[in-house]
PDB file of all heavy atoms in Angstrom:
ATOM      1  N   VAL A 672      -9.086   2.182   2.405  1.00 97.00           N
ATOM      2  CA  VAL A 672      -8.554   0.929   1.813  1.00 97.00           C
ATOM      3  C   VAL A 672      -8.320  -0.044   2.960  1.00 97.00           C
ATOM      4  O   VAL A 672      -7.724   0.280   3.964  1.00 97.00           O
ATOM      5  CB  VAL A 672      -7.366   1.120   0.993  1.00 97.00           C
ATOM      6  CG1 VAL A 672      -6.715  -0.160   0.517  1.00 97.00           C
ATOM      7  CG2 VAL A 672      -7.563   2.063  -0.143  1.00 97.00           C
ATOM      8  N   LEU A 673      -8.836  -1.248   2.836  1.00 97.00           N
ATOM      9  CA  LEU A 673      -8.429  -2.370   3.639  1.00 97.00           C
ATOM     10  C   LEU A 673      -7.368  -3.215   2.893  1.00 97.00           C
ATOM     11  O   LEU A 673      -7.712  -3.727   1.854  1.00 97.00           O
ATOM     12  CB  LEU A 673      -9.649  -3.302   3.964  1.00 97.00           C
ATOM     13  CG  LEU A 673     -10.846  -2.618   4.714  1.00 97.00           C
ATOM     14  CD1 LEU A 673     -11.919  -3.681   4.927  1.00 97.00           C
ATOM     15  CD2 LEU A 673     -10.458  -2.035   5.979  1.00 97.00           C
ATOM     16  N   LEU A 674      -6.193  -3.255   3.474  1.00 95.00           N
ATOM     17  CA  LEU A 674      -5.074  -3.773   2.720  1.00 95.00           C
ATOM     18  C   LEU A 674      -4.438  -5.002   3.372  1.00 95.00           C
ATOM     19  O   LEU A 674      -4.066  -4.938   4.518  1.00 95.00           O
ATOM     20  CB  LEU A 674      -3.967  -2.681   2.573  1.00 95.00           C
ATOM     21  CG  LEU A 674      -2.609  -3.118   2.015  1.00 95.00           C
ATOM     22  CD1 LEU A 674      -2.759  -3.611   0.648  1.00 95.00           C
ATOM     23  CD2 LEU A 674      -1.601  -2.052   2.114  1.00 95.00           C
ATOM     24  N   ASP A 675      -4.363  -6.154   2.695  1.00 94.00           N
ATOM     25  CA  ASP A 675      -3.652  -7.282   3.216  1.00 94.00           C
ATOM     26  C   ASP A 675      -2.209  -7.211   2.844  1.00 94.00           C
ATOM     27  O   ASP A 675      -1.879  -6.790   1.706  1.00 94.00           O
ATOM     28  CB  ASP A 675      -4.302  -8.528   2.587  1.00 94.00           C
ATOM     29  CG  ASP A 675      -3.663  -9.824   3.034  1.00 94.00           C
ATOM     30  OD1 ASP A 675      -3.092  -9.838   4.160  1.00 94.00           O
ATOM     31  OD2 ASP A 675      -3.574 -10.819   2.245  1.00 94.00           O
ATOM     32  N   LEU A 676      -1.387  -7.599   3.725  1.00 91.00           N
ATOM     33  CA  LEU A 676       0.107  -7.484   3.429  1.00 91.00           C
ATOM     34  C   LEU A 676       0.618  -8.666   2.712  1.00 91.00           C
ATOM     35  O   LEU A 676       1.655  -8.589   1.989  1.00 91.00           O
ATOM     36  CB  LEU A 676       0.833  -7.373   4.750  1.00 91.00           C
ATOM     37  CG  LEU A 676       0.638  -6.065   5.571  1.00 91.00           C
ATOM     38  CD1 LEU A 676       1.536  -6.143   6.849  1.00 91.00           C
ATOM     39  CD2 LEU A 676       1.034  -4.870   4.802  1.00 91.00           C
ATOM     40  N   GLY A 677      -0.080  -9.861   2.874  1.00 87.00           N
ATOM     41  CA  GLY A 677       0.450 -11.104   2.259  1.00 87.00           C
ATOM     42  C   GLY A 677      -0.024 -11.372   0.861  1.00 87.00           C
ATOM     43  O   GLY A 677      -0.686 -12.389   0.569  1.00 87.00           O
ATOM     44  N   LEU A 678       0.228 -10.504  -0.145  1.00 89.00           N
ATOM     45  CA  LEU A 678      -0.092 -10.645  -1.483  1.00 89.00           C
ATOM     46  C   LEU A 678       1.004 -11.468  -2.256  1.00 89.00           C
ATOM     47  O   LEU A 678       2.165 -11.061  -2.112  1.00 89.00           O
ATOM     48  CB  LEU A 678      -0.315  -9.300  -2.152  1.00 89.00           C
ATOM     49  CG  LEU A 678      -1.355  -8.435  -1.502  1.00 89.00           C
ATOM     50  CD1 LEU A 678      -1.427  -7.021  -2.051  1.00 89.00           C
ATOM     51  CD2 LEU A 678      -2.788  -9.088  -1.626  1.00 89.00           C
ATOM     52  N   PRO A 679       0.684 -12.454  -2.951  1.00 88.00           N
ATOM     53  CA  PRO A 679       1.729 -13.230  -3.716  1.00 88.00           C
ATOM     54  C   PRO A 679       2.507 -12.310  -4.668  1.00 88.00           C
ATOM     55  O   PRO A 679       1.861 -11.669  -5.512  1.00 88.00           O
ATOM     56  CB  PRO A 679       0.876 -14.289  -4.382  1.00 88.00           C
ATOM     57  CG  PRO A 679      -0.396 -14.425  -3.645  1.00 88.00           C
ATOM     58  CD  PRO A 679      -0.650 -13.006  -3.128  1.00 88.00           C
ATOM     59  N   GLY A 680       3.765 -12.390  -4.538  1.00 89.00           N
ATOM     60  CA  GLY A 680       4.639 -11.636  -5.481  1.00 89.00           C
ATOM     61  C   GLY A 680       4.620 -10.112  -5.318  1.00 89.00           C
ATOM     62  O   GLY A 680       5.227  -9.427  -6.148  1.00 89.00           O
ATOM     63  N   GLU A 681       3.968  -9.604  -4.232  1.00 90.00           N
ATOM     64  CA  GLU A 681       3.950  -8.191  -3.955  1.00 90.00           C
ATOM     65  C   GLU A 681       4.210  -7.903  -2.515  1.00 90.00           C
ATOM     66  O   GLU A 681       3.989  -8.757  -1.670  1.00 90.00           O
ATOM     67  CB  GLU A 681       2.541  -7.659  -4.350  1.00 90.00           C
ATOM     68  CG  GLU A 681       2.167  -7.766  -5.867  1.00 90.00           C
ATOM     69  CD  GLU A 681       0.897  -7.081  -6.159  1.00 90.00           C
ATOM     70  OE1 GLU A 681       0.846  -5.857  -6.462  1.00 90.00           O
ATOM     71  OE2 GLU A 681      -0.162  -7.761  -6.107  1.00 90.00           O
ATOM     72  N   ASP A 682       4.799  -6.736  -2.267  1.00 91.00           N
ATOM     73  CA  ASP A 682       5.094  -6.326  -0.868  1.00 91.00           C
ATOM     74  C   ASP A 682       3.979  -5.324  -0.505  1.00 91.00           C
ATOM     75  O   ASP A 682       3.895  -4.222  -0.951  1.00 91.00           O
ATOM     76  CB  ASP A 682       6.436  -5.610  -0.868  1.00 91.00           C
ATOM     77  CG  ASP A 682       6.953  -5.326   0.527  1.00 91.00           C
ATOM     78  OD1 ASP A 682       6.110  -5.144   1.449  1.00 91.00           O
ATOM     79  OD2 ASP A 682       8.174  -5.242   0.789  1.00 91.00           O
ATOM     80  N   GLY A 683       3.171  -5.791   0.502  1.00 91.00           N
ATOM     81  CA  GLY A 683       2.068  -4.970   1.037  1.00 91.00           C
ATOM     82  C   GLY A 683       2.576  -3.618   1.553  1.00 91.00           C
ATOM     83  O   GLY A 683       1.859  -2.639   1.500  1.00 91.00           O
ATOM     84  N   PHE A 684       3.796  -3.654   2.231  1.00 93.00           N
ATOM     85  CA  PHE A 684       4.286  -2.405   2.737  1.00 93.00           C
ATOM     86  C   PHE A 684       4.568  -1.356   1.663  1.00 93.00           C
ATOM     87  O   PHE A 684       4.393  -0.230   1.840  1.00 93.00           O
ATOM     88  CB  PHE A 684       5.580  -2.727   3.594  1.00 93.00           C
ATOM     89  CG  PHE A 684       5.291  -3.408   4.882  1.00 93.00           C
ATOM     90  CD1 PHE A 684       6.027  -4.495   5.280  1.00 93.00           C
ATOM     91  CD2 PHE A 684       4.363  -2.933   5.776  1.00 93.00           C
ATOM     92  CE1 PHE A 684       5.797  -5.045   6.474  1.00 93.00           C
ATOM     93  CE2 PHE A 684       4.052  -3.507   6.964  1.00 93.00           C
ATOM     94  CZ  PHE A 684       4.866  -4.656   7.343  1.00 93.00           C
ATOM     95  N   VAL A 685       5.001  -1.882   0.578  1.00 93.00           N
ATOM     96  CA  VAL A 685       5.291  -0.984  -0.605  1.00 93.00           C
ATOM     97  C   VAL A 685       4.058  -0.389  -1.084  1.00 93.00           C
ATOM     98  O   VAL A 685       3.914   0.860  -1.420  1.00 93.00           O
ATOM     99  CB  VAL A 685       6.021  -1.739  -1.792  1.00 93.00           C
ATOM    100  CG1 VAL A 685       6.097  -0.895  -3.011  1.00 93.00           C
ATOM    101  CG2 VAL A 685       7.391  -2.205  -1.377  1.00 93.00           C
ATOM    102  N   ILE A 686       2.956  -1.132  -1.177  1.00 94.00           N
ATOM    103  CA  ILE A 686       1.650  -0.649  -1.633  1.00 94.00           C
ATOM    104  C   ILE A 686       1.169   0.348  -0.618  1.00 94.00           C
ATOM    105  O   ILE A 686       0.603   1.427  -1.025  1.00 94.00           O
ATOM    106  CB  ILE A 686       0.626  -1.838  -1.726  1.00 94.00           C
ATOM    107  CG1 ILE A 686       1.127  -2.792  -2.840  1.00 94.00           C
ATOM    108  CG2 ILE A 686      -0.776  -1.301  -2.031  1.00 94.00           C
ATOM    109  CD1 ILE A 686       0.249  -4.047  -2.916  1.00 94.00           C
ATOM    110  N   ALA A 687       1.318   0.080   0.659  1.00 93.00           N
ATOM    111  CA  ALA A 687       0.898   1.062   1.692  1.00 93.00           C
ATOM    112  C   ALA A 687       1.659   2.399   1.539  1.00 93.00           C
ATOM    113  O   ALA A 687       1.015   3.423   1.663  1.00 93.00           O
ATOM    114  CB  ALA A 687       1.090   0.447   3.072  1.00 93.00           C
ATOM    115  N   ARG A 688       2.933   2.300   1.321  1.00 92.00           N
ATOM    116  CA  ARG A 688       3.764   3.479   1.152  1.00 92.00           C
ATOM    117  C   ARG A 688       3.359   4.294  -0.059  1.00 92.00           C
ATOM    118  O   ARG A 688       3.219   5.523  -0.084  1.00 92.00           O
ATOM    119  CB  ARG A 688       5.217   3.138   1.047  1.00 92.00           C
ATOM    120  CG  ARG A 688       6.143   4.355   1.028  1.00 92.00           C
ATOM    121  CD  ARG A 688       7.586   3.915   1.064  1.00 92.00           C
ATOM    122  NE  ARG A 688       8.052   3.311   2.301  1.00 92.00           N
ATOM    123  CZ  ARG A 688       8.211   2.013   2.460  1.00 92.00           C
ATOM    124  NH1 ARG A 688       8.180   1.168   1.409  1.00 92.00           N
ATOM    125  NH2 ARG A 688       8.595   1.435   3.627  1.00 92.00           N
ATOM    126  N   GLN A 689       2.963   3.585  -1.234  1.00 92.00           N
ATOM    127  CA  GLN A 689       2.490   4.257  -2.409  1.00 92.00           C
ATOM    128  C   GLN A 689       1.216   4.992  -2.144  1.00 92.00           C
ATOM    129  O   GLN A 689       1.002   6.167  -2.650  1.00 92.00           O
ATOM    130  CB  GLN A 689       2.341   3.256  -3.567  1.00 92.00           C
ATOM    131  CG  GLN A 689       3.665   2.693  -4.051  1.00 92.00           C
ATOM    132  CD  GLN A 689       3.436   1.593  -5.051  1.00 92.00           C
ATOM    133  OE1 GLN A 689       2.380   0.969  -5.125  1.00 92.00           O
ATOM    134  NE2 GLN A 689       4.445   1.345  -5.900  1.00 92.00           N
ATOM    135  N   LEU A 690       0.313   4.362  -1.420  1.00 92.00           N
ATOM    136  CA  LEU A 690      -0.946   5.028  -1.051  1.00 92.00           C
ATOM    137  C   LEU A 690      -0.660   6.294  -0.292  1.00 92.00           C
ATOM    138  O   LEU A 690      -1.296   7.393  -0.566  1.00 92.00           O
ATOM    139  CB  LEU A 690      -1.792   4.048  -0.231  1.00 92.00           C
ATOM    140  CG  LEU A 690      -2.563   2.892  -0.947  1.00 92.00           C
ATOM    141  CD1 LEU A 690      -3.243   2.047   0.007  1.00 92.00           C
ATOM    142  CD2 LEU A 690      -3.501   3.509  -1.934  1.00 92.00           C
ATOM    143  N   ARG A 691       0.162   6.254   0.712  1.00 89.00           N
ATOM    144  CA  ARG A 691       0.457   7.464   1.536  1.00 89.00           C
ATOM    145  C   ARG A 691       1.113   8.528   0.751  1.00 89.00           C
ATOM    146  O   ARG A 691       0.946   9.709   1.045  1.00 89.00           O
ATOM    147  CB  ARG A 691       1.268   6.982   2.758  1.00 89.00           C
ATOM    148  CG  ARG A 691       0.471   6.513   3.917  1.00 89.00           C
ATOM    149  CD  ARG A 691      -0.372   7.590   4.424  1.00 89.00           C
ATOM    150  NE  ARG A 691      -1.426   7.108   5.332  1.00 89.00           N
ATOM    151  CZ  ARG A 691      -2.714   7.095   5.058  1.00 89.00           C
ATOM    152  NH1 ARG A 691      -3.128   7.470   3.857  1.00 89.00           N
ATOM    153  NH2 ARG A 691      -3.622   6.625   5.923  1.00 89.00           N
ATOM    154  N   GLU A 692       1.954   8.204  -0.203  1.00 88.00           N
ATOM    155  CA  GLU A 692       2.724   9.186  -0.941  1.00 88.00           C
ATOM    156  C   GLU A 692       1.929   9.863  -1.944  1.00 88.00           C
ATOM    157  O   GLU A 692       2.175  11.018  -2.348  1.00 88.00           O
ATOM    158  CB  GLU A 692       3.963   8.477  -1.543  1.00 88.00           C
ATOM    159  CG  GLU A 692       5.053   8.171  -0.488  1.00 88.00           C
ATOM    160  CD  GLU A 692       6.225   7.418  -1.192  1.00 88.00           C
ATOM    161  OE1 GLU A 692       6.197   7.159  -2.401  1.00 88.00           O
ATOM    162  OE2 GLU A 692       7.193   7.159  -0.465  1.00 88.00           O
ATOM    163  N   HIS A 693       0.885   9.164  -2.515  1.00 90.00           N
ATOM    164  CA  HIS A 693       0.297   9.688  -3.765  1.00 90.00           C
ATOM    165  C   HIS A 693      -1.208   9.907  -3.616  1.00 90.00           C
ATOM    166  O   HIS A 693      -1.845  10.583  -4.479  1.00 90.00           O
ATOM    167  CB  HIS A 693       0.531   8.728  -5.005  1.00 90.00           C
ATOM    168  CG  HIS A 693       1.958   8.499  -5.236  1.00 90.00           C
ATOM    169  ND1 HIS A 693       2.753   9.525  -5.818  1.00 90.00           N
ATOM    170  CD2 HIS A 693       2.715   7.420  -5.134  1.00 90.00           C
ATOM    171  CE1 HIS A 693       3.965   8.984  -5.990  1.00 90.00           C
ATOM    172  NE2 HIS A 693       3.971   7.780  -5.520  1.00 90.00           N
ATOM    173  N   PHE A 694      -1.804   9.365  -2.560  1.00 90.00           N
ATOM    174  CA  PHE A 694      -3.336   9.503  -2.434  1.00 90.00           C
ATOM    175  C   PHE A 694      -3.713   9.891  -0.994  1.00 90.00           C
ATOM    176  O   PHE A 694      -2.906   9.650  -0.025  1.00 90.00           O
ATOM    177  CB  PHE A 694      -3.936   8.251  -2.816  1.00 90.00           C
ATOM    178  CG  PHE A 694      -3.656   7.739  -4.213  1.00 90.00           C
ATOM    179  CD1 PHE A 694      -2.718   6.731  -4.385  1.00 90.00           C
ATOM    180  CD2 PHE A 694      -4.254   8.220  -5.331  1.00 90.00           C
ATOM    181  CE1 PHE A 694      -2.341   6.259  -5.692  1.00 90.00           C
ATOM    182  CE2 PHE A 694      -3.913   7.833  -6.589  1.00 90.00           C
ATOM    183  CZ  PHE A 694      -2.962   6.796  -6.736  1.00 90.00           C
ATOM    184  N   HIS A 695      -4.946  10.432  -0.886  1.00 88.00           N
ATOM    185  CA  HIS A 695      -5.450  10.822   0.467  1.00 88.00           C
ATOM    186  C   HIS A 695      -6.618   9.909   0.743  1.00 88.00           C
ATOM    187  O   HIS A 695      -7.641   9.968   0.103  1.00 88.00           O
ATOM    188  CB  HIS A 695      -5.867  12.239   0.525  1.00 88.00           C
ATOM    189  CG  HIS A 695      -6.375  12.635   1.865  1.00 88.00           C
ATOM    190  ND1 HIS A 695      -5.679  12.732   2.980  1.00 88.00           N
ATOM    191  CD2 HIS A 695      -7.734  12.897   2.191  1.00 88.00           C
ATOM    192  CE1 HIS A 695      -6.464  13.076   3.950  1.00 88.00           C
ATOM    193  NE2 HIS A 695      -7.718  13.183   3.607  1.00 88.00           N
ATOM    194  N   CYS A 696      -6.491   8.925   1.610  1.00 92.00           N
ATOM    195  CA  CYS A 696      -7.554   8.014   2.001  1.00 92.00           C
ATOM    196  C   CYS A 696      -7.216   7.414   3.338  1.00 92.00           C
ATOM    197  O   CYS A 696      -6.032   7.424   3.757  1.00 92.00           O
ATOM    198  CB  CYS A 696      -7.687   6.958   0.972  1.00 92.00           C
ATOM    199  SG  CYS A 696      -6.327   5.846   0.803  1.00 92.00           S
TER     200      CYS A 696
END
């Protein structure tokens, strides 16, 4: 996954943490 941190209304760090906690990629 290529992830941008600056998503309107969303925290990119939270998305990154969810990826690490629930998926392998």
